């Protein structure tokens, strides 16, 4: 084994270390934030799931193939995707371009393009390890929100007979129930879902009703203050304007919080700079490895470690409960016998001897 291989192995061993402060969290104390990295790991055959840029490029390509966008506009948007840093702006303009000119923001051809891009998602699930890990955490009380348009998690969960629900921020009642932990298998899509383009909004102004609703905002921000957010596959989430409007810019004293972000460590200098920067937001940055292929196994191992944690409620369970129903019955009989012994009253028999008689 040469020095390069030894260095690689040392790096891989390091990537398998977990922060004790993270793995000792109770699952119900965590809130997973799922980004495009999860979809890319699960369904690598769909380029649109790999990143925001890839998604927008795929929508433009679909619009060109379906002939629902003028060739001049197609060329212009392709340039914007390459040059524009804020891809949400590009996506928003693209939606507007394929919507009615009446001023109504309801998408029209945009919906057809999305259906084309995300057609038959269930057939493209190649590596469900990450989804299995997320479901295990959800079973134990972990909440989930996502910036993704796809519903791969819900599709996979339904295949496992879980009552999955896709939620968006426009359904106030559902969001409030979810925030209270009453929708166990609910996945909150803060950008909306591709299957319902009318509910998709790509800039904070589109969520004006939400951000100006004190009840909803307090419920969401309370989660950021009381839960530990675990960002999984979220390369650009903290730059996301909607996430910033809902959480980052509105929650005070973020440095006192304890959130976590799993990232790819391609460049050491950039990685450690990111670590230092994110601590100002109360976020601990953790490397899952030096290559994306390490991501699924790391998430699997991490979820296994977290799910091993003993619930505090378990310590309050009576020992007879842990031993089973038969032992409970035995305990009841012993308890009854003991009580009867204490309550027996002595009585003088006809022959002069004393005999114990249990009370009627």
């Amino acid at each position: 084994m040469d020095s390069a291989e030894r260095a690689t192995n040392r790096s891989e061993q390091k990537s398998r270390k977990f922060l004790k402060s993270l793995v000792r969290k109770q699952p119900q104390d965590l809130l997973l934030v799922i980004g495009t990295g999860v979809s890319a790991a699960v369904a690598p055959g769909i380029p649109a799931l790999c990143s925001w840029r890839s998604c927008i490029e795929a929508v433009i390509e679909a619009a060109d193939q379906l002939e629902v966008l003028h060739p001049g506009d197609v060329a212009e948007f392709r340039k914007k995707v390459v040059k524009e840093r804020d891809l949400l702006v590009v996506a928003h303009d693209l939606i507007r371009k394929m919507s009615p000119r009446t001023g109504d923001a309801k998408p029209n051809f945009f919906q057809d393009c999305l259906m084309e891009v995300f057609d038959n998602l269930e057939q493209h699930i190649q590596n469900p390890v990450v989804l299995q890990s997320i479901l295990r955490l959800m079973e134990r009380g972990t909440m989930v929100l996502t910036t993704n348009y796809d519903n791969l998690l819900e599709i996979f969960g339904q295949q496992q007979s879980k009552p999955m629900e896709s939620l968006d921020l426009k359904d106030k009642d559902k969001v409030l129930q979810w925030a209270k932990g009453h929708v166990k298998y609910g996945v909150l899509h803060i950008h909306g879902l591709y299957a319902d383009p009318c509910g998709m909004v790509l800039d904070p102004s589109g969520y004006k009703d939400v951000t100006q609703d004190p009840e909803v905002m307090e419920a969401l921000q309370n989660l950021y203050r009381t839960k530990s957010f675990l960002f999984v596959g979220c390369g650009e989430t903290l730059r996301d304007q909607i996430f910033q409007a809902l959480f980052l810019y509105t929650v005070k004293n973020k440095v006192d919080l304890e959130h976590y972000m799993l990232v790819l460590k391609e460049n050491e200098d950039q990685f450690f700079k990111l670590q230092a920067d994110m601590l100002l937001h109360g976020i601990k940055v953790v490397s899952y490895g030096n290559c994306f292929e390490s991501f699924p196994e790391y998430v699997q191992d991490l979820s296994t470690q977290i799910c091993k944690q003993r619930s505090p409620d378990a310590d309050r369970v009576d020992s007879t409960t842990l031993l089973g129903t038969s032992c409970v019955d035995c305990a009841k009989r012993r308890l009854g016998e003991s009580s009867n012994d204490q309550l027996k009253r002595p009585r003088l028999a006809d022959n002069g001897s004393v005999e114990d008689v249990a009370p009627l």
Side-chain angles (χ1 to χ4, degrees):
M1 181 182 294
D2 59 27
S3 59
E5 289 176 326
R6 284 195 296 270
T8 300
N9 284 344
R10 283 198 300 271
S11 177
E12 289 176 350
Q13 289 173 359
K14 283 184 179 180
S15 71
R16 280 292 164 271
K17 292 289 185 180
F18 301 110
L19 295 180
K20 292 293 189 295
S21 62
L22 174 55
V23 296
R24 289 177 179 171
K25 296 286 184 188
Q26 295 295 325
Q28 64 269 25
D29 294 333
L30 292 174
L31 190 152
L32 291 187
V33 181
I34 298 175
T36 54
V38 170
S39 300
V42 172
I46 303 181
L49 298 177
C50 296
S51 67
W52 275 100
R53 193 177 304 278
S54 297
C55 180
I56 297 172
E57 288 174 343
V59 170
I60 295 171
E61 182 65 26
D64 187 27
Q65 292 178 354
L66 295 173
E67 296 184 323
V68 296
L69 199 60
H70 189 280
D73 292 325
V74 170
E76 186 64 27
F77 276 111
R78 282 174 174 161
K79 291 179 183 177
K80 285 184 177 181
V81 170
V82 175
K83 296 179 180 179
E84 181 66 51
R85 185 173 183 272
D86 192 343
L87 295 175
L88 287 176
V89 173
V90 180
H92 181 257
D93 291 344
L94 187 60
I95 287 179
R96 292 288 181 179
K97 199 69 177 180
M98 290 188 282
S99 299
R101 296 183 181 181
T102 58
D104 183 0
K106 180 179 179 181
N108 191 339
F109 288 126
F110 185 71
Q111 178 176 6
D112 294 290
C113 293
L114 284 175
M115 293 295 183
E116 186 73 18
V117 169
F118 294 117
D119 188 38
N120 298 321
L121 276 179
E122 64 278 1
Q123 297 179 13
H124 295 276
I125 296 178
Q126 298 179 23
N127 186 8
V129 170
V130 177
L131 299 182
Q132 290 170 338
S133 302
I134 294 172
L135 279 181
R136 286 186 64 197
L137 290 168
M138 293 183 78
E139 288 173 356
R140 291 161 176 79
T142 299
M143 300 172 69
V144 175
L145 72 77
T146 181
T147 56
N148 296 346
Y149 295 128
D150 67 82
N151 59 344
L152 281 170
L153 177 58
E154 292 94 309
I155 290 173
F156 181 76
Q158 288 168 355
Q159 291 174 348
Q160 311 305 308
S161 301
K162 305 298 182 185
M164 308 299 294
E165 289 189 60
S166 300
L167 315 173
D168 66 56
L169 287 174
K170 293 198 170 183
D171 189 341
K172 175 180 175 177
D173 292 338
K174 260 309 189 194
V175 170
L176 291 176
Q177 288 298 308
W178 173 84
K180 293 175 182 177
H182 295 165
V183 188
K184 184 175 182 178
Y185 290 100
V187 181
L188 180 62
H189 292 256
I190 65 171
H191 289 153
L193 191 65
Y194 84 92
D196 181 23
C198 296
M200 293 173 58
V201 184
L202 296 176
D203 64 276
S205 63
Y207 285 122
K208 196 172 182 180
D209 292 340
V210 175
T211 56
Q212 291 185 356
D213 187 318
E215 187 179 9
V216 173
M217 288 300 289
E218 174 59 26
L220 294 176
Q221 290 163 17
N222 186 57
L223 290 174
Y224 200 69
R225 288 190 294 262
T226 60
K227 299 278 187 181
S228 284
F229 279 42
L230 175 57
F231 297 87
V232 182
C234 297
E236 300 291 326
T237 298
L238 294 183
R239 294 196 189 107
D240 183 288
Q241 295 179 25
I242 295 172
F243 189 86
Q244 290 174 348
L246 293 174
F247 300 104
L248 290 189
Y249 291 161
T250 49
V251 176
K252 298 179 181 179
N253 302 321
K254 290 181 285 292
V255 72
D256 297 328
L257 305 178
E258 191 172 52
H259 303 303
Y260 303 87
M261 175 179 283
L262 306 185
V263 302
L264 172 67
K265 187 176 71 173
E266 293 180 293
N267 179 287
E268 283 198 341
D269 291 338
Q270 292 178 2
F271 171 76
F272 287 110
K273 182 181 184 305
L274 180 64
Q275 267 193 339
D277 291 344
M278 287 300 99
L279 281 178
L280 297 175
H281 294 282
I283 299 172
K284 295 179 178 180
V285 173
V286 181
S287 166
Y288 62 75
N290 298 329
C291 62
F292 185 64
E293 287 70 23
S294 303
F295 177 66
E297 184 180 351
Y298 186 94
V299 173
Q300 182 182 44
D301 292 345
L302 176 60
S303 67
T304 299
Q305 292 293 321
I306 294 172
C307 290
K308 284 181 179 178
Q309 295 307 305
R310 182 182 177 86
S311 170
D313 294 336
D315 296 329
R316 294 194 290 269
V317 177
D318 187 84
S319 60
T320 56
T321 302
L322 298 177
L323 292 173
T325 305
S326 60
C327 291
V328 172
D329 294 336
C330 293
K332 286 180 178 178
R333 284 197 298 271
R334 287 196 298 270
L335 181 61
E337 291 168 0
S338 175
S339 298
N340 287 339
D341 288 341
Q342 294 176 6
L343 294 174
K344 287 179 179 178
R345 300 193 300 270
R347 188 181 71 182
L348 188 63
D350 294 337
N351 60 5
S353 65
V354 177
E355 60 181 16
D356 291 331
V357 179
L360 296 175

